[in-house]
Amino acid sequence: MHEIEISELRRLTEVIKLYHNYDFTNYAISSFKRRVSRILDLYKIPSVDLLIKKIREEDGFFNTFLEELTVNVTEMFRDPSFWREIRDQVIPNILLNHNQISIWHAGCSSGEEVFSMAILLKEMGIHHKAKIIATDIDRAILDRAKSGEYQLKHMDLNEKNYIRFQGKSSLKDYYKEDNGKVYMDKSLVNNVSWREHDLVRGVVFNKFDLVLCRNVMIYFNQTLQNVVLKKIHESLFRYSYLCIGSKESLIWCEIANKFIVVNNEEKIYKKIKD
């Protein structure tokens, strides 16, 4: 496999933009390159030019490409101390002034974060007070999230996270097992609206008390992070909360002064200015 040139990646992004109206121009170059390289390996495609040809000419291949490109390895109750903070501090604070809570999972991937939130809300006895919107750029992964089907082999890690989160029962209470798969209890997500949405090019569509956009911006360069964070800022009520990934930061971005740090360790911020 030859080393992928920047010029090849540029041609690839131009074709994607032209034929499929997705803009990857400002993706973090090292991450984009690594993922494209993985796709070439995976599908035994000898060059970027042949990948471009496949994207242009093969019906349905672009969806496969998109799924591989935006794949997120995710788990339930990832970073258990973060989820404890959400349960013990953030949500009680929101409910001091509101009877209802609106939550946006931006870049929800295969839905583990959404189910974690649903379980947390149920155990707090406030599941019925929440309205949740879960979005992702990838239709196929959204369908997977919606189905609530996961591999049984992954549940061991999820259960360990749940125990460290100090949940009220056992994660097993929330799913049924069958033939190496688990099926999450569908009633957990009866208040969730699943939507296809491009964080970069999509419009601001609602206002929320809490936005989780975790481990999404690590794939964007600084220009793109600014674009996305401005939209998220607009999507929050004043004094509402934003949570980002543990390796992400708001410090340098253009809207940094419109937030205060609530918990630096867990990367939780509060909007203080419109």
Side-chain angles (χ1 to χ4, degrees):
M1 189 65 66
H2 76 292
E3 176 68 13
I4 297 173
E5 303 289 334
I6 301 294
S7 59
E8 292 178 303
L9 290 178
R10 207 165 283 138
R11 279 204 305 282
L12 177 63
T13 56
E14 278 163 13
V15 166
I16 292 169
K17 201 169 171 180
L18 189 65
Y19 284 79
H20 296 281
N21 204 23
Y22 282 91
D23 190 354
F24 289 106
T25 322
N26 287 310
Y27 256 55
I29 200 82
S30 58
S31 172
F32 188 65
K33 189 173 171 179
R34 199 167 54 247
R35 290 187 172 216
V36 168
S37 182
R38 190 174 147 270
I39 292 166
L40 295 178
D41 278 351
L42 207 55
Y43 293 92
K44 314 236 177 318
I45 303 167
S47 69
V48 174
D49 279 342
L50 285 169
L51 173 65
I52 290 171
K53 190 174 188 310
K54 216 167 159 62
I55 285 170
R56 282 171 60 169
E57 294 172 9
E58 266 186 45
D59 270 1
F61 181 74
F62 178 70
N63 291 337
T64 308
F65 170 82
L66 188 65
E67 199 171 331
E68 293 295 346
L69 192 72
T70 58
V71 69
N72 266 330
V73 179
T74 176
E75 58 205 53
M76 288 182 197
F77 295 99
R78 182 181 188 172
D79 308 319
S81 55
F82 165 81
W83 289 98
R84 289 199 302 271
E85 189 69 12
I86 292 292
R87 177 191 60 201
D88 301 341
Q89 301 297 330
V90 174
I91 289 177
N93 263 315
I94 291 168
L95 291 174
L96 281 176
N97 306 311
H98 302 79
N99 194 31
Q100 298 260 314
I101 177 168
S102 57
I103 301 168
W104 177 20
H105 293 272
C108 69
S109 190
S110 44
E112 285 89 340
E113 182 183 89
V114 183
F115 278 99
S116 305
M117 180 65 79
I119 290 167
L120 177 151
L121 293 166
K122 199 174 177 74
E123 293 188 354
M124 288 180 79
I126 57 165
H127 187 267
H128 61 289
K129 293 185 174 187
K131 274 200 167 43
I132 297 171
I133 293 180
T135 65
D136 203 274
I137 190 174
D138 181 350
R139 163 57 51 199
I141 210 138
L142 261 185
D143 288 342
R144 200 185 310 164
K146 217 173 178 172
S147 75
E149 276 177 42
Y150 298 105
Q151 296 296 323
L152 180 59
K153 62 183 179 194
H154 297 151
M155 294 315 278
D156 191 37
L157 173 61
N158 294 339
E159 182 75 61
K160 284 186 178 125
N161 286 346
Y162 176 79
I163 290 164
R164 286 172 53 216
F165 157 71
Q166 295 158 358
K168 281 187 174 174
S169 58
S170 161
L171 202 55
K172 285 187 172 67
D173 296 342
Y174 299 106
Y175 63 80
K176 288 189 169 52
E177 281 177 39
D178 185 30
N179 204 13
K181 282 192 168 179
V182 304
Y183 298 86
M184 300 301 294
D185 177 352
K186 281 288 178 65
S187 71
L188 286 167
V189 290
N190 60 10
N191 56 353
V192 176
S193 167
W194 307 90
R195 296 187 196 172
E196 201 173 336
H197 180 261
D198 181 344
L199 270 173
V200 177
R201 307 178 85 184
V203 295
V204 173
F205 58 88
N206 220 327
K207 286 271 198 194
F208 298 93
D209 302 306
L210 174 60
V211 173
L212 290 88
C213 185
R214 302 178 74 216
N215 309 304
V216 176
M217 285 179 295
I218 44 174
Y219 302 115
F220 301 157
N221 71 9
Q222 214 159 315
T223 312
L224 219 47
Q225 289 184 25
N226 266 320
V227 170
V228 170
L229 285 165
K230 273 185 188 157
K231 284 186 195 169
I232 289 175
H233 171 265
E234 268 182 68
S235 305
L236 283 161
F237 292 115
R238 196 186 290 188
Y239 308 124
S240 292
Y241 294 84
L242 166 63
C243 308
I244 60 176
S246 58
K247 295 184 174 61
E248 297 167 331
S249 171
L250 282 194
I251 289 169
W252 54 265
C253 77
E254 288 167 21
I255 47 137
N257 64 338
K258 298 184 175 182
F259 287 90
I260 53 168
V261 178
V262 172
N263 186 316
N264 198 35
E265 193 69 18
E266 306 302 346
K267 294 293 194 289
I268 300 171
Y269 300 86
K270 188 184 218 175
K271 173 175 167 174
I272 51 160
K273 285 185 204 157
D274 285 323

